[in-house]
PDB file of all heavy atoms in Angstrom:
ATOM      1  N   ASP A 289      21.197 -22.374  -7.892  1.00 90.00           N
ATOM      2  CA  ASP A 289      21.703 -23.049  -9.095  1.00 90.00           C
ATOM      3  C   ASP A 289      23.221 -23.209  -9.082  1.00 90.00           C
ATOM      4  O   ASP A 289      23.784 -23.869  -9.958  1.00 90.00           O
ATOM      5  CB  ASP A 289      21.254 -22.316 -10.345  1.00 90.00           C
ATOM      6  CG  ASP A 289      21.773 -20.869 -10.432  1.00 90.00           C
ATOM      7  OD1 ASP A 289      22.143 -20.317  -9.406  1.00 90.00           O
ATOM      8  OD2 ASP A 289      21.780 -20.319 -11.577  1.00 90.00           O
ATOM      9  N   GLU A 290      23.899 -22.637  -8.090  1.00 91.00           N
ATOM     10  CA  GLU A 290      25.358 -22.777  -7.968  1.00 91.00           C
ATOM     11  C   GLU A 290      25.756 -23.958  -7.101  1.00 91.00           C
ATOM     12  O   GLU A 290      26.943 -24.290  -7.036  1.00 91.00           O
ATOM     13  CB  GLU A 290      25.938 -21.505  -7.383  1.00 91.00           C
ATOM     14  CG  GLU A 290      25.815 -20.293  -8.253  1.00 91.00           C
ATOM     15  CD  GLU A 290      26.329 -19.029  -7.588  1.00 91.00           C
ATOM     16  OE1 GLU A 290      26.127 -18.855  -6.357  1.00 91.00           O
ATOM     17  OE2 GLU A 290      26.880 -18.207  -8.308  1.00 91.00           O
ATOM     18  N   ILE A 291      24.819 -24.581  -6.427  1.00 94.00           N
ATOM     19  CA  ILE A 291      25.137 -25.706  -5.567  1.00 94.00           C
ATOM     20  C   ILE A 291      25.274 -26.945  -6.399  1.00 94.00           C
ATOM     21  O   ILE A 291      24.332 -27.364  -7.080  1.00 94.00           O
ATOM     22  CB  ILE A 291      24.055 -25.876  -4.473  1.00 94.00           C
ATOM     23  CG1 ILE A 291      24.028 -24.618  -3.593  1.00 94.00           C
ATOM     24  CG2 ILE A 291      24.318 -27.116  -3.645  1.00 94.00           C
ATOM     25  CD1 ILE A 291      22.889 -24.585  -2.612  1.00 94.00           C
ATOM     26  N   LYS A 292      26.483 -27.512  -6.391  1.00 94.00           N
ATOM     27  CA  LYS A 292      26.800 -28.656  -7.218  1.00 94.00           C
ATOM     28  C   LYS A 292      26.769 -29.935  -6.395  1.00 94.00           C
ATOM     29  O   LYS A 292      27.493 -30.060  -5.407  1.00 94.00           O
ATOM     30  CB  LYS A 292      28.199 -28.513  -7.861  1.00 94.00           C
ATOM     31  CG  LYS A 292      28.354 -27.248  -8.673  1.00 94.00           C
ATOM     32  CD  LYS A 292      27.417 -27.217  -9.881  1.00 94.00           C
ATOM     33  CE  LYS A 292      27.613 -25.952 -10.678  1.00 94.00           C
ATOM     34  NZ  LYS A 292      26.396 -25.447 -11.251  1.00 94.00           N
ATOM     35  N   TYR A 293      25.904 -30.842  -6.757  1.00 97.00           N
ATOM     36  CA  TYR A 293      25.784 -32.117  -6.104  1.00 97.00           C
ATOM     37  C   TYR A 293      26.594 -33.188  -6.775  1.00 97.00           C
ATOM     38  O   TYR A 293      26.787 -33.136  -8.002  1.00 97.00           O
ATOM     39  CB  TYR A 293      24.309 -32.574  -6.082  1.00 97.00           C
ATOM     40  CG  TYR A 293      23.429 -31.757  -5.164  1.00 97.00           C
ATOM     41  CD1 TYR A 293      22.785 -30.619  -5.632  1.00 97.00           C
ATOM     42  CD2 TYR A 293      23.210 -32.122  -3.847  1.00 97.00           C
ATOM     43  CE1 TYR A 293      21.989 -29.853  -4.812  1.00 97.00           C
ATOM     44  CE2 TYR A 293      22.423 -31.377  -3.007  1.00 97.00           C
ATOM     45  CZ  TYR A 293      21.788 -30.234  -3.502  1.00 97.00           C
ATOM     46  OH  TYR A 293      20.998 -29.476  -2.685  1.00 97.00           O
ATOM     47  N   GLY A 294      27.046 -34.138  -6.017  1.00 96.00           N
ATOM     48  CA  GLY A 294      27.740 -35.310  -6.541  1.00 96.00           C
ATOM     49  C   GLY A 294      27.237 -36.519  -5.780  1.00 96.00           C
ATOM     50  O   GLY A 294      26.410 -36.425  -4.878  1.00 96.00           O
ATOM     51  N   PRO A 295      27.774 -37.684  -6.097  1.00 96.00           N
ATOM     52  CA  PRO A 295      27.343 -38.891  -5.390  1.00 96.00           C
ATOM     53  C   PRO A 295      27.634 -38.772  -3.895  1.00 96.00           C
ATOM     54  O   PRO A 295      28.649 -38.208  -3.504  1.00 96.00           O
ATOM     55  CB  PRO A 295      28.178 -40.013  -6.026  1.00 96.00           C
ATOM     56  CG  PRO A 295      28.737 -39.455  -7.287  1.00 96.00           C
ATOM     57  CD  PRO A 295      28.789 -37.951  -7.120  1.00 96.00           C
ATOM     58  N   ALA A 296      26.751 -39.310  -3.095  1.00 96.00           N
ATOM     59  CA  ALA A 296      26.938 -39.300  -1.644  1.00 96.00           C
ATOM     60  C   ALA A 296      28.032 -40.313  -1.287  1.00 96.00           C
ATOM     61  O   ALA A 296      28.324 -41.243  -2.041  1.00 96.00           O
ATOM     62  CB  ALA A 296      25.630 -39.670  -0.917  1.00 96.00           C
ATOM     63  N   PRO A 297      28.671 -40.134  -0.143  1.00 95.00           N
ATOM     64  CA  PRO A 297      29.728 -41.099   0.294  1.00 95.00           C
ATOM     65  C   PRO A 297      29.171 -42.521   0.455  1.00 95.00           C
ATOM     66  O   PRO A 297      27.980 -42.692   0.609  1.00 95.00           O
ATOM     67  CB  PRO A 297      30.174 -40.530   1.647  1.00 95.00           C
ATOM     68  CG  PRO A 297      29.662 -39.140   1.727  1.00 95.00           C
ATOM     69  CD  PRO A 297      28.466 -39.062   0.815  1.00 95.00           C
ATOM     70  N   ALA A 298      30.081 -43.444   0.434  1.00 95.00           N
ATOM     71  CA  ALA A 298      29.724 -44.882   0.496  1.00 95.00           C
ATOM     72  C   ALA A 298      29.022 -45.281   1.795  1.00 95.00           C
ATOM     73  O   ALA A 298      28.373 -46.331   1.840  1.00 95.00           O
ATOM     74  CB  ALA A 298      30.972 -45.750   0.294  1.00 95.00           C
ATOM     75  N   PHE A 299      29.118 -44.443   2.846  1.00 96.00           N
ATOM     76  CA  PHE A 299      28.447 -44.825   4.097  1.00 96.00           C
ATOM     77  C   PHE A 299      26.924 -44.552   4.051  1.00 96.00           C
ATOM     78  O   PHE A 299      26.225 -44.852   4.981  1.00 96.00           O
ATOM     79  CB  PHE A 299      29.098 -44.155   5.312  1.00 96.00           C
ATOM     80  CG  PHE A 299      29.124 -42.670   5.328  1.00 96.00           C
ATOM     81  CD1 PHE A 299      27.941 -41.924   5.531  1.00 96.00           C
ATOM     82  CD2 PHE A 299      30.305 -41.996   5.173  1.00 96.00           C
ATOM     83  CE1 PHE A 299      27.974 -40.568   5.558  1.00 96.00           C
ATOM     84  CE2 PHE A 299      30.338 -40.607   5.189  1.00 96.00           C
ATOM     85  CZ  PHE A 299      29.179 -39.893   5.418  1.00 96.00           C
ATOM     86  N   LEU A 300      26.446 -43.970   2.952  1.00 97.00           N
ATOM     87  CA  LEU A 300      25.003 -43.780   2.750  1.00 97.00           C
ATOM     88  C   LEU A 300      24.519 -44.757   1.671  1.00 97.00           C
ATOM     89  O   LEU A 300      25.266 -45.068   0.743  1.00 97.00           O
ATOM     90  CB  LEU A 300      24.694 -42.353   2.332  1.00 97.00           C
ATOM     91  CG  LEU A 300      24.784 -41.295   3.438  1.00 97.00           C
ATOM     92  CD1 LEU A 300      24.685 -39.914   2.850  1.00 97.00           C
ATOM     93  CD2 LEU A 300      23.688 -41.530   4.452  1.00 97.00           C
ATOM     94  N   PRO A 301      23.280 -45.194   1.741  1.00 97.00           N
ATOM     95  CA  PRO A 301      22.756 -46.068   0.709  1.00 97.00           C
ATOM     96  C   PRO A 301      22.796 -45.385  -0.669  1.00 97.00           C
ATOM     97  O   PRO A 301      22.703 -44.164  -0.758  1.00 97.00           O
ATOM     98  CB  PRO A 301      21.281 -46.298   1.135  1.00 97.00           C
ATOM     99  CG  PRO A 301      21.285 -46.048   2.637  1.00 97.00           C
ATOM    100  CD  PRO A 301      22.289 -44.979   2.843  1.00 97.00           C
ATOM    101  N   PRO A 302      22.987 -46.156  -1.697  1.00 97.00           N
ATOM    102  CA  PRO A 302      23.081 -45.569  -3.070  1.00 97.00           C
ATOM    103  C   PRO A 302      21.819 -44.820  -3.429  1.00 97.00           C
ATOM    104  O   PRO A 302      20.717 -45.119  -2.973  1.00 97.00           O
ATOM    105  CB  PRO A 302      23.242 -46.783  -3.985  1.00 97.00           C
ATOM    106  CG  PRO A 302      23.600 -47.938  -3.116  1.00 97.00           C
ATOM    107  CD  PRO A 302      23.123 -47.595  -1.725  1.00 97.00           C
ATOM    108  N   GLY A 303      21.990 -43.788  -4.269  1.00 97.00           N
ATOM    109  CA  GLY A 303      20.830 -42.999  -4.748  1.00 97.00           C
ATOM    110  C   GLY A 303      20.785 -41.578  -4.248  1.00 97.00           C
ATOM    111  O   GLY A 303      20.096 -40.735  -4.803  1.00 97.00           O
ATOM    112  N   ALA A 304      21.526 -41.260  -3.197  1.00 98.00           N
ATOM    113  CA  ALA A 304      21.544 -39.900  -2.633  1.00 98.00           C
ATOM    114  C   ALA A 304      22.635 -39.079  -3.334  1.00 98.00           C
ATOM    115  O   ALA A 304      23.604 -39.637  -3.865  1.00 98.00           O
ATOM    116  CB  ALA A 304      21.822 -39.961  -1.139  1.00 98.00           C
ATOM    117  N   GLN A 305      22.450 -37.779  -3.324  1.00 98.00           N
ATOM    118  CA  GLN A 305      23.453 -36.861  -3.843  1.00 98.00           C
ATOM    119  C   GLN A 305      23.816 -35.891  -2.725  1.00 98.00           C
ATOM    120  O   GLN A 305      22.974 -35.559  -1.878  1.00 98.00           O
ATOM    121  CB  GLN A 305      22.932 -36.099  -5.026  1.00 98.00           C
ATOM    122  CG  GLN A 305      22.677 -36.961  -6.255  1.00 98.00           C
ATOM    123  CD  GLN A 305      22.215 -36.104  -7.415  1.00 98.00           C
ATOM    124  OE1 GLN A 305      21.348 -35.290  -7.278  1.00 98.00           O
ATOM    125  NE2 GLN A 305      22.855 -36.314  -8.537  1.00 98.00           N
ATOM    126  N   LEU A 306      25.056 -35.446  -2.720  1.00 97.00           N
ATOM    127  CA  LEU A 306      25.544 -34.625  -1.624  1.00 97.00           C
ATOM    128  C   LEU A 306      26.301 -33.387  -2.166  1.00 97.00           C
ATOM    129  O   LEU A 306      27.000 -33.516  -3.171  1.00 97.00           O
ATOM    130  CB  LEU A 306      26.467 -35.427  -0.727  1.00 97.00           C
ATOM    131  CG  LEU A 306      26.908 -34.712   0.533  1.00 97.00           C
ATOM    132  CD1 LEU A 306      26.533 -35.505   1.761  1.00 97.00           C
ATOM    133  CD2 LEU A 306      28.404 -34.484   0.516  1.00 97.00           C
ATOM    134  N   ALA A 307      26.148 -32.279  -1.529  1.00 97.00           N
ATOM    135  CA  ALA A 307      26.917 -31.061  -1.838  1.00 97.00           C
ATOM    136  C   ALA A 307      27.516 -30.533  -0.539  1.00 97.00           C
ATOM    137  O   ALA A 307      26.834 -30.450   0.476  1.00 97.00           O
ATOM    138  CB  ALA A 307      26.017 -29.989  -2.473  1.00 97.00           C
ATOM    139  N   VAL A 308      28.793 -30.245  -0.582  1.00 96.00           N
ATOM    140  CA  VAL A 308      29.455 -29.638   0.577  1.00 96.00           C
ATOM    141  C   VAL A 308      29.423 -28.123   0.386  1.00 96.00           C
ATOM    142  O   VAL A 308      29.960 -27.622  -0.592  1.00 96.00           O
ATOM    143  CB  VAL A 308      30.920 -30.132   0.703  1.00 96.00           C
ATOM    144  CG1 VAL A 308      31.624 -29.439   1.865  1.00 96.00           C
ATOM    145  CG2 VAL A 308      30.955 -31.645   0.916  1.00 96.00           C
ATOM    146  N   LEU A 309      28.771 -27.434   1.288  1.00 96.00           N
ATOM    147  CA  LEU A 309      28.660 -25.985   1.209  1.00 96.00           C
ATOM    148  C   LEU A 309      29.774 -25.264   1.981  1.00 96.00           C
ATOM    149  O   LEU A 309      30.210 -24.180   1.633  1.00 96.00           O
ATOM    150  CB  LEU A 309      27.302 -25.518   1.790  1.00 96.00           C
ATOM    151  CG  LEU A 309      26.074 -26.068   1.107  1.00 96.00           C
ATOM    152  CD1 LEU A 309      24.818 -25.558   1.809  1.00 96.00           C
ATOM    153  CD2 LEU A 309      26.037 -25.726  -0.372  1.00 96.00           C
ATOM    154  N   GLU A 310      30.205 -25.943   3.055  1.00 95.00           N
ATOM    155  CA  GLU A 310      31.195 -25.286   3.914  1.00 95.00           C
ATOM    156  C   GLU A 310      31.939 -26.318   4.701  1.00 95.00           C
ATOM    157  O   GLU A 310      31.370 -27.321   5.159  1.00 95.00           O
ATOM    158  CB  GLU A 310      30.433 -24.348   4.870  1.00 95.00           C
ATOM    159  CG  GLU A 310      31.233 -23.686   5.915  1.00 95.00           C
ATOM    160  CD  GLU A 310      30.735 -23.943   7.330  1.00 95.00           C
ATOM    161  OE1 GLU A 310      29.630 -24.477   7.537  1.00 95.00           O
ATOM    162  OE2 GLU A 310      31.481 -23.609   8.260  1.00 95.00           O
ATOM    163  N   GLY A 311      33.237 -26.104   4.872  1.00 95.00           N
ATOM    164  CA  GLY A 311      34.058 -26.975   5.698  1.00 95.00           C
ATOM    165  C   GLY A 311      34.344 -28.320   5.037  1.00 95.00           C
ATOM    166  O   GLY A 311      34.140 -28.521   3.863  1.00 95.00           O
ATOM    167  N   ASN A 312      34.837 -29.238   5.867  1.00 95.00           N
ATOM    168  CA  ASN A 312      35.153 -30.582   5.449  1.00 95.00           C
ATOM    169  C   ASN A 312      34.472 -31.566   6.424  1.00 95.00           C
ATOM    170  O   ASN A 312      35.005 -31.781   7.506  1.00 95.00           O
ATOM    171  CB  ASN A 312      36.677 -30.803   5.414  1.00 95.00           C
ATOM    172  CG  ASN A 312      37.039 -32.215   5.030  1.00 95.00           C
ATOM    173  OD1 ASN A 312      36.189 -33.054   4.758  1.00 95.00           O
ATOM    174  ND2 ASN A 312      38.345 -32.488   5.000  1.00 95.00           N
ATOM    175  N   PRO A 313      33.332 -32.120   6.014  1.00 96.00           N
ATOM    176  CA  PRO A 313      32.640 -33.036   6.918  1.00 96.00           C
ATOM    177  C   PRO A 313      33.439 -34.241   7.356  1.00 96.00           C
ATOM    178  O   PRO A 313      33.185 -34.803   8.392  1.00 96.00           O
ATOM    179  CB  PRO A 313      31.379 -33.417   6.163  1.00 96.00           C
ATOM    180  CG  PRO A 313      31.581 -33.010   4.770  1.00 96.00           C
ATOM    181  CD  PRO A 313      32.654 -31.988   4.722  1.00 96.00           C
ATOM    182  N   MET A 314      34.415 -34.634   6.577  1.00 95.00           N
ATOM    183  CA  MET A 314      35.239 -35.796   6.905  1.00 95.00           C
ATOM    184  C   MET A 314      36.554 -35.395   7.593  1.00 95.00           C
ATOM    185  O   MET A 314      37.362 -36.244   7.901  1.00 95.00           O
ATOM    186  CB  MET A 314      35.521 -36.618   5.634  1.00 95.00           C
ATOM    187  CG  MET A 314      34.263 -37.014   4.895  1.00 95.00           C
ATOM    188  SD  MET A 314      32.949 -37.676   5.884  1.00 95.00           S
ATOM    189  CE  MET A 314      33.632 -39.266   6.314  1.00 95.00           C
ATOM    190  N   GLY A 315      36.748 -34.106   7.807  1.00 95.00           N
ATOM    191  CA  GLY A 315      37.967 -33.615   8.466  1.00 95.00           C
ATOM    192  C   GLY A 315      38.012 -34.023   9.913  1.00 95.00           C
ATOM    193  O   GLY A 315      37.041 -34.542  10.485  1.00 95.00           O
ATOM    194  N   ALA A 316      39.162 -33.782  10.531  1.00 95.00           N
ATOM    195  CA  ALA A 316      39.349 -34.159  11.940  1.00 95.00           C
ATOM    196  C   ALA A 316      38.563 -33.234  12.869  1.00 95.00           C
ATOM    197  O   ALA A 316      38.178 -33.648  13.949  1.00 95.00           O
ATOM    198  CB  ALA A 316      40.827 -34.088  12.284  1.00 95.00           C
ATOM    199  N   SER A 317      38.334 -31.989  12.452  1.00 95.00           N
ATOM    200  CA  SER A 317      37.577 -31.054  13.277  1.00 95.00           C
ATOM    201  C   SER A 317      37.100 -29.917  12.404  1.00 95.00           C
ATOM    202  O   SER A 317      37.415 -29.812  11.228  1.00 95.00           O
ATOM    203  CB  SER A 317      38.450 -30.526  14.430  1.00 95.00           C
ATOM    204  OG  SER A 317      39.498 -29.753  13.896  1.00 95.00           O
ATOM    205  N   GLY A 318      36.294 -29.024  12.996  1.00 96.00           N
ATOM    206  CA  GLY A 318      35.786 -27.838  12.304  1.00 96.00           C
ATOM    207  C   GLY A 318      34.332 -27.972  11.929  1.00 96.00           C
ATOM    208  O   GLY A 318      33.748 -29.064  11.897  1.00 96.00           O
ATOM    209  N   ASP A 319      33.721 -26.819  11.652  1.00 97.00           N
ATOM    210  CA  ASP A 319      32.318 -26.781  11.254  1.00 97.00           C
ATOM    211  C   ASP A 319      32.170 -27.295   9.813  1.00 97.00           C
ATOM    212  O   ASP A 319      33.056 -27.129   9.009  1.00 97.00           O
ATOM    213  CB  ASP A 319      31.792 -25.336  11.266  1.00 97.00           C
ATOM    214  CG  ASP A 319      31.750 -24.747  12.634  1.00 97.00           C
ATOM    215  OD1 ASP A 319      31.604 -25.464  13.625  1.00 97.00           O
ATOM    216  OD2 ASP A 319      31.879 -23.488  12.754  1.00 97.00           O
ATOM    217  N   PHE A 320      30.999 -27.857   9.535  1.00 97.00           N
ATOM    218  CA  PHE A 320      30.672 -28.215   8.156  1.00 97.00           C
ATOM    219  C   PHE A 320      29.206 -27.952   7.906  1.00 97.00           C
ATOM    220  O   PHE A 320      28.379 -27.984   8.851  1.00 97.00           O
ATOM    221  CB  PHE A 320      31.035 -29.650   7.817  1.00 97.00           C
ATOM    222  CG  PHE A 320      30.126 -30.660   8.488  1.00 97.00           C
ATOM    223  CD1 PHE A 320      28.914 -31.044   7.884  1.00 97.00           C
ATOM    224  CD2 PHE A 320      30.445 -31.237   9.723  1.00 97.00           C
ATOM    225  CE1 PHE A 320      28.068 -31.964   8.492  1.00 97.00           C
ATOM    226  CE2 PHE A 320      29.596 -32.143  10.318  1.00 97.00           C
ATOM    227  CZ  PHE A 320      28.414 -32.524   9.714  1.00 97.00           C
ATOM    228  N   THR A 321      28.852 -27.737   6.647  1.00 97.00           N
ATOM    229  CA  THR A 321      27.466 -27.649   6.196  1.00 97.00           C
ATOM    230  C   THR A 321      27.345 -28.388   4.914  1.00 97.00           C
ATOM    231  O   THR A 321      28.127 -28.163   3.981  1.00 97.00           O
ATOM    232  CB  THR A 321      27.007 -26.186   6.005  1.00 97.00           C
ATOM    233  OG1 THR A 321      27.273 -25.457   7.195  1.00 97.00           O
ATOM    234  CG2 THR A 321      25.537 -26.102   5.661  1.00 97.00           C
ATOM    235  N   ILE A 322      26.415 -29.344   4.831  1.00 98.00           N
ATOM    236  CA  ILE A 322      26.205 -30.098   3.625  1.00 98.00           C
ATOM    237  C   ILE A 322      24.743 -30.104   3.254  1.00 98.00           C
ATOM    238  O   ILE A 322      23.869 -29.778   4.101  1.00 98.00           O
ATOM    239  CB  ILE A 322      26.690 -31.591   3.759  1.00 98.00           C
ATOM    240  CG1 ILE A 322      25.931 -32.309   4.887  1.00 98.00           C
ATOM    241  CG2 ILE A 322      28.150 -31.659   3.967  1.00 98.00           C
ATOM    242  CD1 ILE A 322      26.197 -33.792   4.994  1.00 98.00           C
ATOM    243  N   ARG A 323      24.418 -30.389   1.999  1.00 98.00           N
ATOM    244  CA  ARG A 323      23.052 -30.625   1.573  1.00 98.00           C
ATOM    245  C   ARG A 323      22.987 -32.030   1.008  1.00 98.00           C
ATOM    246  O   ARG A 323      23.854 -32.470   0.253  1.00 98.00           O
ATOM    247  CB  ARG A 323      22.611 -29.632   0.522  1.00 98.00           C
ATOM    248  CG  ARG A 323      22.398 -28.248   1.103  1.00 98.00           C
ATOM    249  CD  ARG A 323      21.291 -27.497   0.541  1.00 98.00           C
ATOM    250  NE  ARG A 323      21.125 -26.222   1.211  1.00 98.00           N
ATOM    251  CZ  ARG A 323      20.676 -25.170   0.600  1.00 98.00           C
ATOM    252  NH1 ARG A 323      20.324 -25.200  -0.673  1.00 98.00           N
ATOM    253  NH2 ARG A 323      20.529 -24.032   1.260  1.00 98.00           N
ATOM    254  N   LEU A 324      21.951 -32.733   1.374  1.00 98.00           N
ATOM    255  CA  LEU A 324      21.719 -34.107   0.960  1.00 98.00           C
ATOM    256  C   LEU A 324      20.424 -34.133   0.187  1.00 98.00           C
ATOM    257  O   LEU A 324      19.400 -33.715   0.703  1.00 98.00           O
ATOM    258  CB  LEU A 324      21.656 -35.043   2.187  1.00 98.00           C
ATOM    259  CG  LEU A 324      21.502 -36.526   1.896  1.00 98.00           C
ATOM    260  CD1 LEU A 324      22.752 -37.065   1.217  1.00 98.00           C
ATOM    261  CD2 LEU A 324      21.256 -37.278   3.201  1.00 98.00           C
ATOM    262  N   LYS A 325      20.489 -34.600  -1.053  1.00 98.00           N
ATOM    263  CA  LYS A 325      19.315 -34.701  -1.890  1.00 98.00           C
ATOM    264  C   LYS A 325      18.970 -36.195  -2.038  1.00 98.00           C
ATOM    265  O   LYS A 325      19.819 -36.986  -2.453  1.00 98.00           O
ATOM    266  CB  LYS A 325      19.594 -34.107  -3.292  1.00 98.00           C
ATOM    267  CG  LYS A 325      18.384 -34.043  -4.175  1.00 98.00           C
ATOM    268  CD  LYS A 325      18.713 -33.571  -5.618  1.00 98.00           C
ATOM    269  CE  LYS A 325      19.254 -32.195  -5.640  1.00 98.00           C
ATOM    270  NZ  LYS A 325      19.448 -31.659  -7.020  1.00 98.00           N
ATOM    271  N   ILE A 326      17.733 -36.523  -1.638  1.00 98.00           N
ATOM    272  CA  ILE A 326      17.355 -37.941  -1.690  1.00 98.00           C
ATOM    273  C   ILE A 326      16.055 -38.092  -2.490  1.00 98.00           C
ATOM    274  O   ILE A 326      15.182 -37.238  -2.435  1.00 98.00           O
ATOM    275  CB  ILE A 326      17.174 -38.539  -0.257  1.00 98.00           C
ATOM    276  CG1 ILE A 326      16.148 -37.753   0.556  1.00 98.00           C
ATOM    277  CG2 ILE A 326      18.508 -38.559   0.470  1.00 98.00           C
ATOM    278  CD1 ILE A 326      15.862 -38.337   1.940  1.00 98.00           C
ATOM    279  N   PRO A 327      15.929 -39.218  -3.213  1.00 98.00           N
ATOM    280  CA  PRO A 327      14.720 -39.444  -3.997  1.00 98.00           C
ATOM    281  C   PRO A 327      13.550 -39.932  -3.104  1.00 98.00           C
ATOM    282  O   PRO A 327      13.744 -40.325  -1.968  1.00 98.00           O
ATOM    283  CB  PRO A 327      15.142 -40.523  -5.004  1.00 98.00           C
ATOM    284  CG  PRO A 327      16.257 -41.265  -4.317  1.00 98.00           C
ATOM    285  CD  PRO A 327      16.951 -40.245  -3.445  1.00 98.00           C
ATOM    286  N   ASP A 328      12.349 -39.882  -3.674  1.00 98.00           N
ATOM    287  CA  ASP A 328      11.195 -40.376  -2.970  1.00 98.00           C
ATOM    288  C   ASP A 328      11.400 -41.821  -2.503  1.00 98.00           C
ATOM    289  O   ASP A 328      11.855 -42.664  -3.286  1.00 98.00           O
ATOM    290  CB  ASP A 328       9.960 -40.302  -3.908  1.00 98.00           C
ATOM    291  CG  ASP A 328       8.675 -40.730  -3.236  1.00 98.00           C
ATOM    292  OD1 ASP A 328       8.517 -40.418  -2.055  1.00 98.00           O
ATOM    293  OD2 ASP A 328       7.838 -41.356  -3.934  1.00 98.00           O
TER     294      ASP A 328
END
């Protein structure tokens, strides 16, 4: 219940939600972990 989702980046079709758990997925380097929530 602590994972906060927001709109997914523009490079994904509309309707998905994304939460960044760790790192910066758009950064120049480094590990990242994200969750993507998509509808049926």
Side-chain angles (χ1 to χ4, degrees):
D289 61 340
E290 295 175 322
I291 297 172
K292 303 297 180 215
Y293 290 88
F299 60 73
L300 286 170
Q305 294 183 311
L306 187 123
V308 176
L309 301 178
E310 174 237 350
N312 178 1
M314 305 314 288
S317 65
D319 295 331
F320 72 86
T321 305
I322 60 174
R323 289 217 178 148
L324 184 66
K325 186 186 297 187
I326 58 176
D328 184 35

